[in-house]
Amino acid sequence: MGEEFKDEHERAEFLLEVLLNRDETLEFRTSAAVYLGHFDSEKALKSLIEFACNDMEDERLLISCGDAIAEIWDRNHDFDINVVLSQVATPTKDEIKSRLASR
């Protein structure tokens, strides 16, 4: 993930593309989800949540999305985490709850 980007928006867009690209390796997609948790972008957050609602995705990806969503919420507290928890797949929900309980 050492590519050069002109700004944070471009970096987040790249990470979103990686996360959604089923042709990428699971490891690369999982890393992309984790790194998206470092951004305070509404688009990144919405994309993570939308992705995490698909319980047909690999469990590791869903857990990584949960970690990223919890990181964004923990940093900002600017969205209703309970609404998110009611929408996302179980692995994501469990990861968010675990992460928030440990703080």
Side-chain angles (χ1 to χ4, degrees):
M1 303 241 174
E3 290 80 1
E4 293 297 320
F5 302 98
K6 68 178 181 179
D7 58 26
E8 293 296 304
H9 174 76
E10 192 175 275
R11 179 176 285 129
E13 288 293 322
F14 170 76
L15 293 169
L16 286 170
E17 287 176 22
V18 170
L19 176 62
L20 299 174
N21 186 347
R22 293 182 182 276
D23 292 330
E24 292 289 355
T25 66
L26 180 60
E27 182 179 298
F28 198 42
R29 293 174 75 202
T30 301
S31 293
V34 170
Y35 283 118
L36 281 166
H38 300 191
F39 293 90
D40 292 329
S41 155
E42 186 173 333
K43 182 175 181 181
L45 176 63
K46 285 182 177 184
S47 296
L48 284 164
I49 293 168
E50 184 178 318
F51 184 88
C53 288
N54 183 355
D55 58 3
M56 299 303 289
E57 288 294 344
D58 186 278
E59 184 175 2
R60 290 167 288 185
L61 283 171
L62 294 172
I63 290 169
S64 295
C65 287
D67 184 59
I69 292 165
E71 183 176 338
I72 294 168
W73 186 84
D74 200 29
R75 202 171 43 249
N76 298 302
H77 299 276
D78 61 354
F79 59 94
D80 189 340
I81 196 67
N82 291 315
V83 171
V84 174
L85 290 171
S86 71
Q87 296 173 347
V88 295
T90 300
T92 305
K93 184 182 314 189
D94 292 346
E95 181 64 20
I96 292 170
K97 287 180 177 180
S98 173
R99 169 111 188 225
L100 297 180
S102 69
R103 57 178 181 102

